[in-house]
Amino acid sequence: MRKLRVAVLFGGRSAEHEISLLSARNVVEALDRDRFEPVLVGIDKAGRWLLQEEALLLGASRDPRLARLNQSAPDVALLAHPSPAGEAALTIGGASQAIDVVFPVLHGPLGEDGSVQGLLELAGVPYVGSGVLGSAVGMDKDVMKRLLAQDELPLVPYETVRRLAWEREPSEVLARCERLALPLFVKPANLGSSVGVTKVKTYEALADAISLAFEYDSKIVVEQGVEGAREIECAVLGDEEPIVSIPGEIVVDHPDGFYSYAAKYIDERGVTTRVPADLTEAETRAVQLLALRTFRVLEASGLARIDLFMSKSGEVYVNEINTLPGFTSISMYPKLWEASGVPPRELVARLIDLALARAERRRKLKTST
């Protein structure tokens, strides 16, 4: 059998651009070369699609501050002309190349939020991860929380703030947020990797934190912290019958006092990961079931990492879902699956197989009466 051409799509027009490059590196390294032939497509911060060389990607620095695309590479375009065989065509330097499946390794807006997924749907090409709906609601922390609350999943108290309200009535916004107990976490609603996030320990610091978050998004969420909470994460894999990994735990030892961008990617000693998390059998089952419920409620597919809080008294809260979790060398998603008996090469292959199977089911649906 011929090898399947896998277009690995990374970079993107978001503040998580550099982290995406590090994730793509590990996905490419994990591809089974007996089955798959990678085609590397980087999206720069201006939105240009560029063909990237494997040697350059794999040899790049693991420091996100140094990660870069080759800006002089050939332009790439995806043609929205679905093929009956399920292939799509990339135009590379004027020539057409068929691809069988796309593996998006994009984090943040215009990559993880349903935008690229919509384009891939129009092109009729199978792709890894959640569809348009699951990607969109998973990216927007406000909409995500509303859907979880409707299904009565446990959440910490929070407030949603829009830019116009902040500009017109900052005192009213502050009054609303100050009804939440300290500490507070102020976050852009549509971003990940802790970009633009501030842990607020005093109400006097709240305004600056809100202003910072609004530099990255037009809508933010202000969440009440769970003092002394443990940060528990589960990885989910699958589609109609998803499975869940053993839980892991994030232990932060960084001046920011939380799982910040610097703690994650800059400070090598900022975070300790415990896999598996030190939980009782009952606690493990409880967080796994909550992770699976979150995955299903939010219409996720393929893969997701579910982040949870566990209070000192053992109460568990859903923090958020990440529908395209990191694949960097320190990322919890591949770590959790490796500890659960699914090494990276098998994990990447299973994700691609899930994408192909879902696309095949979609092709069998009627499109006319």
Side-chain angles (χ1 to χ4, degrees):
M1 294 179 63
R2 72 171 180 84
K3 296 180 182 180
L4 293 176
R5 291 193 186 93
V6 181
V8 182
L9 195 58
F10 54 95
R13 296 164 58 190
S14 91
E16 297 179 78
H17 175 98
E18 290 78 13
I19 303 306
S20 174
L21 270 62
L22 303 189
S23 289
R25 171 184 183 149
N26 290 316
V27 169
V28 172
E29 285 182 332
L31 281 172
D32 183 349
R33 298 310 172 93
D34 291 331
R35 289 189 60 195
F36 306 117
E37 176 187 340
V39 179
L40 309 187
V41 181
I43 303 176
D44 71 13
K45 291 190 176 184
R48 293 174 60 217
W49 291 33
L50 302 165
L51 185 68
Q52 299 293 295
E53 296 178 3
E54 186 174 337
L56 182 64
L57 179 69
L58 299 185
S61 170
R62 294 185 182 273
D63 186 335
R65 296 168 294 184
L66 303 177
R68 298 287 187 276
L69 291 177
N70 176 10
Q71 294 291 146
S72 61
D75 286 338
V76 176
L78 175 64
L79 302 180
H81 298 161
S83 161
E87 295 178 341
L90 291 178
T91 300
I92 303 173
S96 181
Q97 180 174 358
I99 55 170
D100 299 287
V101 61
V102 174
F103 199 128
V105 194
L106 296 160
H107 307 315
L110 299 176
E112 190 178 349
D113 60 357
S115 302
V116 164
Q117 289 74 14
L119 173 62
L120 299 176
E121 291 282 356
L122 289 173
V125 61
Y127 59 92
V128 170
S130 294
V132 175
L133 177 62
S135 299
V137 299
M139 185 82 258
D140 190 309
K141 296 177 178 64
D142 168 47
V143 175
M144 173 188 69
K145 289 176 183 293
R146 282 188 266 160
L147 288 173
L148 293 174
Q150 181 177 324
D151 233 56
E152 299 183 343
L153 274 72
L155 302 170
V156 299
Y158 75 100
E159 290 284 344
T160 299
V161 182
R162 297 180 183 273
R163 185 190 303 276
L164 186 60
W166 176 241
E167 291 173 347
R168 288 183 174 176
E169 297 289 344
S171 58
E172 191 277 332
V173 168
L174 290 172
R176 275 199 292 126
C177 295
E178 288 173 7
R179 288 198 289 264
L180 301 172
L182 294 169
L184 304 177
F185 289 88
V186 182
K187 306 176 179 181
N190 292 277
L191 207 56
S193 295
S194 297
V195 174
V197 178
T198 304
K199 181 178 182 180
V200 176
K201 299 178 183 178
T202 67
Y203 293 122
E204 289 75 18
L206 182 56
D208 286 343
I210 290 175
S211 295
L212 174 64
F214 274 126
E215 292 181 13
Y216 295 94
D217 201 354
S218 59
K219 181 171 66 171
I220 69 170
V221 293
V222 180
E223 300 172 350
Q224 180 172 300
V226 182
E227 193 62 63
R230 298 171 66 183
E231 297 192 36
I232 307 296
E233 298 186 349
C234 286
V236 181
L237 172 68
D239 196 350
E240 296 179 328
E241 297 180 312
I243 58 174
V244 62
S245 73
I246 62 173
E249 182 172 3
I250 302 292
V251 181
V252 178
D253 182 21
H254 187 269
D256 288 344
F258 72 103
Y259 199 24
S260 66
Y261 185 95
K264 289 178 182 179
Y265 303 115
I266 307 301
D267 184 353
E268 294 181 357
R269 293 181 293 275
V271 172
T272 301
T273 57
R274 295 175 181 168
V275 181
D278 184 14
L279 301 172
T280 66
E281 186 175 338
E283 289 170 336
T284 295
R285 189 59 185 153
V287 299
Q288 287 177 322
L289 289 174
L290 189 54
L292 284 172
R293 283 186 64 195
T294 302
F295 187 86
R296 290 189 173 106
V297 167
L298 298 177
E299 297 286 344
S301 181
L303 74 164
R305 192 192 69 240
I306 313 297
D307 300 345
L308 308 145
F309 294 132
M310 178 176 285
S311 70
K312 291 180 179 179
S313 59
E315 297 167 304
V316 183
Y317 304 91
V318 179
N319 177 21
E320 62 187 50
I321 188 173
N322 192 319
T323 58
L324 280 177
F327 268 84
T328 72
S329 59
I330 63 168
S331 294
M332 283 291 272
Y333 188 83
K335 279 188 175 184
L336 290 170
W337 278 119
E338 186 156 26
S340 300
V342 184
R345 177 164 293 194
E346 181 182 345
L347 176 61
V348 167
R350 287 171 69 168
L351 288 168
I352 293 171
D353 289 339
L354 283 166
L356 295 169
R358 183 180 63 179
E360 181 62 26
R361 290 195 301 272
R362 292 283 296 274
R363 276 194 292 271
K364 292 179 180 178
L365 297 175
K366 290 184 176 181
T367 56
S368 60
T369 57

